[in-house]
Amino acid sequence: MKKVKADPKGVLTGSHYLDGDHSLAEGGLAAGCRFFAGYPITPSTETAERFSERIPTVGGVFIQMEDELGSIAALIGASWAGKKVMTVTSGPGFSLMMENIGLACMMETPIVIANVQRGGPSTGLPTLTGQQDMMQARWGSHGDYEIIALSPDSPQECFDLTIEAFNLAEMFRVPTFVMTDECIGHMHEKVVIPPAEEIELVERKWYTGPKEKYLPYKPDKDLVPFMIKAGDGYRFHTTGLTRDERGYPVINAECQDVCVRHLVDKINKNADKIIKLKEEEIDNAEIIVISYGITSRVAIKAVQKARKAGIKVGTLRLITVWPFPEKRIKELAKKIKAFVFPEINCGQVVLEVERCSWGQTQVIHVPHCGGWVHNPDDIFNAIKEAAK
Amino acid sequence: MKKEDQLEEKNPIEDLLRMDRIPHIWCPGCGIGTVVTSFIEALKKSKLDLDKVVVVSGIGCTGRVAGYVKLDSFHTTHGRAVPFATGLKLANPELNVVVFSGDGDIAGIGGNHFIHAARRNMDITIICVNNFNYAMTGGQVAATTPLGANASTAPYGNFEFPFSLPYLADAAGATYIARWTALHLRRVTKSIQEALSRRGFSFIEVITPCVTLYARRNRLGDGLNLLKYYYDNSEIHHGADTRTLDISYQGKLVVGKFVDKEKPTFLDAMNEHLGKVLGDKYVLYGRINDDRD
Ligand SMILES: Cc1ncc(C[n+]2csc(CCOP(=O)(O)OP(=O)(O)O)c2C)c(N)n1
Ligand code: SF4
Ligand SMILES: [Mg+2]
C-alpha cells in the first residue's frame, strides 16, 4: 500500500464553520477527488454546489448529469480513466444508483458515494432526517457483493471520513459510502482542516509489471487485484458479466463461484483492517448502547442519565457500519445483559446485532421512522428496561 | 454492390480483434460483424494512437462488440454506455472514446443520456447498430421498430411511432450525423473515420437488420439477401433535412451524411467560460494538443 501526501491545491487548511454537506465536499477535494458527477437532491445538494464552485480552482471537472443513473456511470468511467471520483445523493437518487453500484463492484472500481439520508420510502421526507438506507447501502443492488460504509457523527467527521472513504475505496477497489443524514448534513460546527502534509492518502494499487502479463482480476496477496487505467496501452477488457481473471466473460457456475466469492472475501477477510469503532466505558458495562451517525449524539444524553441513575452503560459507536463488526459484537454479547440499539429506521442494522448475539444477550431496538431524531428519554427507557 | 462500397484492400484486422475470444456469439449472417470490420478499417486508416482509443458498449448483441475489439474496452450496463463514456472522456480528455451499441441501448433505455450528451456536445463518437428490435432478448419491439413490423412483444404488429435517430441526434445538438446500411462498408468506414477526426458529438446509425429474429418473424429473407434488400432500397442523400428521415416498414431508406458542423465541445466551452469568468483562479483543464480538426 503506497501512501502519499495530499495535494495542497485541494486542501482548505484552517479552522472553519461548516455544515456536513460542505465538509463532505472539502473532504473529497482534500482526498484528491478531481471528478464529480451528480444530480441535485435535497438534503445533499450543497455538496454538489460546493464542488461546482471549488473544483475549477483545483484542476478538476464537475458535471451535473441528467440523472443519478448517469452520474454513477460517469463516475465509474472516470475512475477507470485514473481519476479519484465522488458523487453525493439522497434516498431517491441512491435508489437510481443501485444499478451501477453493482457494476462498480463487479468491475472492482474505486468510487465514493455520500448519501445524506432523508426519510423514505419514495419521496418521503425530502428535508427531514432518516437512517433508512443502511441496508440498501449494503445490498441494494442485485446479486451478492460487499461494500464499505462509514457513518460520520459530525461535520468534522464528514471531512475526516470522506478522506477515509477514498483511502478504503482505493485500497480495496470497491464502492465506499459515507452514510450521513440530513441533520449532520445541515448542522454547522467547527471543522478543522489540517495542512496537506498531515493528510495521508492511499494511492491506487497501480500495476507496474510487464504489460502482456497483466490480468485485471488476478487477486494479489491481500486479495485486491492491481489496477491500470484506460489509455495506457494495455488493451484490456472488463465487463459487468461474470468474468475470469482476464476480465473475459465466462458464463458458468464455476467462474461465478470464483468471481463472486472473491468480491465478498475481499472485504470480509479484510474486515479487521477496515473496521473502526468507538467504545467507551465498555469494560464493566452491563448494557451497551450501540449507535451510529447522528443517533450517537442523541443516545449520549440517555446514557448520561442512565449512568446517573446507577446503571452501568457502555457505548459502542459504529464508525464503520459495513463490513459489520461481527467478531466484536459476538465477543461482547457473551459478557453483557443487553444491547440497546437506537437507529432512525424500523430495524435495519440491529438485525446484524441480533444475528451476532446468537441469543446470548438481549437486543432491544429503539426504532424511529424518521423526520427527527429520537427523544433521548425513549432510549433511556429502553436502557432502564434492559437493566431490570 | 457498387464497387465503391466494397473494401478495396484486405487489411488484416485480426490484430485489432481479441482472437482468443473468437468464435463470437453472433448468428451466421448477422451484420454486426460487418460493422465491426468497417470500424477497424476506420481505425487503421485514421492516424489515431490506438492505445488512446477506448470502446464502450452497453448490453445487447451489439453490446458484445466491446468484448471482441483489442482495445481498452468496457462492456457496461444496459443504456449507460454514453454516461460511462462521458466519465472516461472528461477524466482523460486525451482518450478517443467510441460508444458501440444497439438501438435499444442507445435510444431506448439510454435515450435520456444520449440526448444530453449530444446537447453538451460531449466529444465522443457513437456507432449505433439499428436492427429495429431488441435482439439479445429475443426480438422485442423497440423505439426503432417501424410501424406495422412484427416483434415478439408486438405480435399483432407495431403501432407505436418509432424514433428517427438522426433527427433525434440533430435536434439534441450532435455535430456529426450519418446513416448507412451495414453493406455500405466503405461509406461506414469513411463516416467513422470522419467522426473520429471531428471534435464533438458524432453519431453514426448503421441499419443492420437482425436476420434471426426481426427478419424471420417478418418473413423478410435471410443473411446477405436481407442486408442487400436494405442496401438496394437506400438512396444516398447527403445533407438531407433530418426531418425527412423516417423509416417505414420495408420502404425506401435515406442514407448519407446529414450533419457535419462545428461547435465548442463540453470541455472547450468549460475551459473558455470558466477561464473568462475566473481568470487566474481557474486551472485550465485537460487542454491537449489536438491535431484533429
Ligand atoms: C436494466 C436492464 N433491462 C433489461 C435488460 C435485458 N436486455 C438485455 S439486451 C436488451 C436489448 C438490447 O437491444 P439493443 O440495444 O437494440 O441491442 P441488440 O441486441 O438489438 O443489438 C435488453 C432489454 C438488461 N440487460 N438490463
Ligand atoms: S439475434 Fe439478430 S442481432 Fe443478434 S446476433 Fe443474431 S442476427 Fe445478430
Ligand atoms: Mg437492437
Side-chain angles (χ1 to χ4, degrees):
Chain A
M1 185 170 51
K2 197 170 157 206
K3 291 203 169 166
V4 291
K5 302 279 175 241
D7 167 11
K9 250 192 281 149
V11 185
L12 205 64
T13 304
S15 184
H16 309 269
Y17 188 61
L18 287 181
D19 69 10
D21 280 6
H22 287 92
S23 294
L24 290 170
E26 289 306 329
L29 291 166
C33 174
R34 295 294 180 268
F35 181 86
F36 182 100
Y39 188 83
I41 185 165
T42 306
S44 74
T45 307
E46 294 89 330
T47 309
E49 287 170 345
R50 193 168 180 110
F51 259 104
S52 71
E53 191 187 324
R54 291 261 290 130
I55 218 168
T57 66
V58 305
V61 182
F62 168 92
I63 183 167
Q64 182 170 308
M65 293 297 287
E66 49 277 7
D67 56 30
E68 291 86 347
L69 302 159
S71 306
I72 181 157
L75 236 56
I76 304 171
S79 185
W80 274 103
K83 285 275 187 299
K84 285 188 168 184
V85 301
M86 174 173 180
T87 189
V88 69
T89 190
S90 190
F94 202 48
S95 290
L96 289 193
M97 288 181 185
M98 287 302 139
E99 176 191 57
N100 271 359
I101 284 169
L103 183 69
C105 287
M106 196 59 137
M107 288 188 170
E108 302 195 51
T109 313
I111 59 172
V112 172
I113 301 174
N115 179 349
V116 186
Q117 293 173 88
R118 63 195 226 182
S122 191
T123 312
L125 303 170
T127 54
L128 300 176
T129 195
Q131 295 181 312
Q132 297 169 312
D133 306 344
M134 299 308 294
M135 277 298 176
Q136 189 186 20
R138 186 179 196 184
W139 280 333
S141 196
H142 55 281
D144 275 319
Y145 60 90
E146 295 291 340
I147 48 75
I148 299 173
L150 312 175
S151 177
D153 75 343
S154 62
Q156 178 69 53
E157 270 198 2
C158 284
F159 177 84
D160 298 338
L161 293 188
T162 300
I163 294 177
E164 175 85 9
F166 271 96
N167 286 345
L168 292 166
E170 296 293 337
M171 220 182 299
F172 295 102
R173 284 185 63 176
V174 75
T176 300
F177 302 92
V178 182
M179 297 296 290
T180 184
D181 77 293
E182 185 278 331
C183 272
I184 287 171
H186 288 160
M187 168 194 293
H188 281 80
E189 278 184 348
K190 184 170 148 184
V191 174
V192 179
I193 300 183
E197 63 272 17
E198 286 171 26
I199 300 175
E200 271 210 334
L201 301 177
V202 173
E203 209 179 49
R204 191 166 293 183
K205 240 181 116 170
W206 296 118
Y207 174 78
T208 50
K211 271 189 184 155
E212 11 14 289
K213 292 248 169 78
Y214 179 67
L215 291 167
Y217 298 110
K218 185 177 169 26
D220 187 24
K221 282 188 286 294
D222 63 357
L223 299 180
V224 185
F226 286 97
M227 200 161 169
I228 48 153
K229 59 182 192 295
D232 282 353
Y234 286 85
R235 313 260 176 114
F236 70 102
H237 178 66
T238 181
T239 172
L241 288 166
T242 293
R243 39 59 184 175
D244 61 15
E245 291 184 345
R246 295 171 301 174
Y248 288 5
V250 180
I251 309 302
N252 63 37
E254 292 74 32
C255 187
Q256 170 78 352
D257 187 71
V258 176
C259 169
V260 174
R261 204 177 286 275
H262 162 71
L263 297 180
V264 171
D265 282 354
K266 178 176 76 168
I267 301 305
N268 288 345
K269 294 198 169 159
N270 284 309
D272 289 344
K273 286 191 224 161
I274 299 169
I275 291 170
K276 276 196 179 158
L277 305 172
K278 189 162 185 216
E279 298 179 356
E280 273 169 14
E281 300 193 31
I282 288 272
D283 290 348
N284 300 313
E286 320 175 74
I287 314 286
I288 293 176
V289 175
I290 306 180
S291 60
Y292 56 90
I294 182 66
T295 307
S296 313
R297 297 180 63 162
V298 179
I300 203 69
K301 291 236 182 284
V303 169
Q304 284 160 356
K305 194 165 164 185
R307 284 179 186 151
K308 266 193 201 138
I311 308 173
K312 287 186 190 140
V313 195
T315 56
L316 186 152
R317 177 158 77 87
L318 304 170
I319 296 173
T320 314
V321 179
W322 310 124
F324 190 72
E326 190 167 313
K327 257 198 252 163
R328 185 63 180 148
I329 298 295
K330 281 182 179 166
E331 222 169 71
L332 292 172
K334 289 186 206 134
K335 300 182 187 162
I336 61 166
K337 219 164 156 184
F339 287 119
V340 171
F341 195 168
E343 46 178 347
I344 308 177
N345 57 52
C346 297
Q348 295 196 9
V349 184
V350 69
L351 297 176
E352 279 296 77
V353 180
E354 285 172 3
R355 179 178 68 83
C356 297
S357 298
W358 292 93
Q360 302 204 36
T361 188
Q362 259 193 103
V363 179
I364 301 177
H365 190 240
V366 191
H368 191 304
C369 293
W372 193 222
V373 293
H374 288 78
N375 179 340
D377 281 342
D378 292 341
I379 304 170
F380 172 71
N381 291 336
I383 297 171
K384 220 168 55 177
E385 186 63 28
K388 261 191 203 153
Chain B
M1 194 158 58
K2 289 193 213 82
K3 185 118 190 300
E4 71 260 29
D5 289 325
Q6 292 162 4
L7 293 173
E8 45 197 326
E9 72 230 76
K10 264 251 143 269
N11 257 338
I13 61 167
E14 284 77 11
D15 52 330
L16 283 181
L17 291 177
R18 293 186 189 278
M19 296 310 287
D20 51 350
R21 291 214 56 222
I22 306 293
H24 55 67
I25 62 155
W26 296 312
C27 307
C30 175
I32 296 175
T34 318
V35 187
V36 174
T37 307
S38 297
F39 172 55
I40 289 180
E41 284 296 325
L43 286 176
K44 295 208 145 188
K45 289 187 174 164
S46 77
K47 292 183 191 72
L48 297 176
D49 173 359
L50 298 185
D51 282 348
K52 304 279 181 219
V53 176
V54 184
V55 174
V56 184
S57 293
I59 301 292
C61 292
T62 317
R64 290 304 186 99
V65 168
Y68 296 123
V69 291
K70 197 155 173 44
L71 296 163
D72 286 348
S73 57
F74 295 89
H75 181 222
T76 65
T77 43
H78 194 25
R80 316 299 166 222
V82 168
F84 194 104
T86 293
L88 278 162
K89 179 69 192 179
L90 294 184
N92 181 1
E94 278 184 43
L95 300 176
N96 272 290
V97 186
V98 179
V99 171
F100 207 132
S101 221
D103 51 297
D105 196 75
I106 284 168
I109 189 168
N112 197 31
H113 306 304
F114 174 68
I115 57 172
H116 284 278
R119 172 181 65 79
R120 297 183 181 111
N121 201 21
M122 200 52 66
D123 185 10
I124 58 180
T125 295
I126 315 267
I127 302 169
C128 177
V129 167
N130 182 358
N131 52 17
F132 301 139
N133 71 354
Y134 287 144
M136 177 63 103
T137 39
Q140 291 78 32
V141 71
T144 48
T145 309
L147 272 176
N150 202 287
S152 80
T153 49
Y156 308 112
N158 174 36
F159 53 84
E160 284 186 32
F161 299 105
F163 269 145
S164 158
L165 298 182
Y167 182 32
L168 182 65
D170 191 15
T175 49
Y176 183 96
I177 304 172
R179 172 197 278 164
W180 300 106
T181 77
L183 275 195
H184 289 95
L185 297 172
R186 283 185 54 201
R187 295 181 194 273
V188 174
T189 303
K190 181 155 181 260
S191 270
I192 296 176
Q193 244 183 296
E194 282 182 356
L196 289 170
S197 73
R198 303 289 191 270
R199 296 167 65 80
F201 189 88
S202 303
F203 177 71
I204 300 162
E205 176 186 26
V206 189
I207 306 292
T208 314
C210 163
V211 288
T212 305
L213 302 159
Y214 181 80
R216 191 174 293 166
R217 180 173 274 274
N218 287 288
R219 301 202 178 79
L220 302 177
D222 53 16
L224 200 60
N225 286 337
L226 179 74
L227 288 176
K228 224 174 150 316
Y229 176 89
Y230 286 91
Y231 177 84
D232 291 342
N233 279 280
S234 59
E235 264 169 30
I236 299 177
H237 187 175
H238 292 301
D241 184 335
T242 54
R243 287 173 298 184
T244 64
L245 301 175
D246 282 352
I247 297 178
S248 62
Y249 183 57
Q250 295 302 89
K252 279 260 174 250
L253 199 64
V254 179
V255 296
K257 176 168 83 175
F258 310 124
V259 175
D260 188 356
K261 64 182 181 193
E262 278 184 39
K263 209 166 78 174
T265 66
F266 177 93
L267 280 177
D268 291 342
M270 180 181 100
N271 275 324
E272 163 91 25
H273 180 76
L274 294 178
K276 216 185 299 168
V277 176
L278 292 173
D280 288 349
K281 279 205 291 181
Y282 182 58
V283 180
L284 196 67
Y285 184 81
R287 173 71 47 101
I288 44 163
N289 289 331
D290 194 335
D291 51 12
R292 296 176 302 159
D293 6 24

